[in-house]
Amino acid sequence: LRQDWTNFINSQSVAVPLDALHVYLAAGGAGYGNVVGFGRDSTSGELTYLDRFSGTQIYGARNVAVSPDGNHVYVTAWPGDAVAWFRRD
């Protein structure tokens, strides 16, 4: 991975949907939070950085989960007292 590692500071939780095609990481630090998405190669398991959402809205991102139907990703944040959800495409 050739990325700015500050996206991963204080990583708290990882989630993988049932299709195992992506991996999601929740990371929260002082004054911000990140949800980082990776693509996963189904043969080798290699991860490829895809994108991230970062902002004060998910300050202190702690937990990430994928809905049972695989359509959404949920993130909880503390002490930001927030829940955010994202639609998977």
Side-chain angles (χ1 to χ4, degrees):
L1 291 173
R2 293 185 181 137
Q3 276 303 312
D4 178 357
W5 289 100
T6 59
N7 294 337
F8 311 107
I9 290 175
N10 213 8
S11 297
Q12 298 289 326
S13 179
V14 174
V16 180
L18 291 177
D19 64 15
L21 296 178
H22 296 92
V23 174
Y24 299 96
L25 171 74
Y32 69 92
N34 288 301
V35 179
V36 184
F38 299 91
R40 184 181 167 280
D41 183 281
S42 61
T43 303
S44 69
E46 182 177 337
L47 299 178
T48 303
Y49 177 89
L50 296 175
D51 204 355
R52 74 178 169 103
F53 175 83
S54 181
T56 57
Q57 303 91 331
I58 54 170
Y59 162 59
R62 296 274 178 172
N63 297 295
V64 61
V66 179
S67 63
D69 64 8
N71 291 330
H72 297 90
V73 174
Y74 300 96
V75 179
T76 61
W78 183 89
D81 294 329
V83 175
W85 63 95
F86 304 88
R87 183 181 6 242
R88 291 183 66 215
D89 294 328

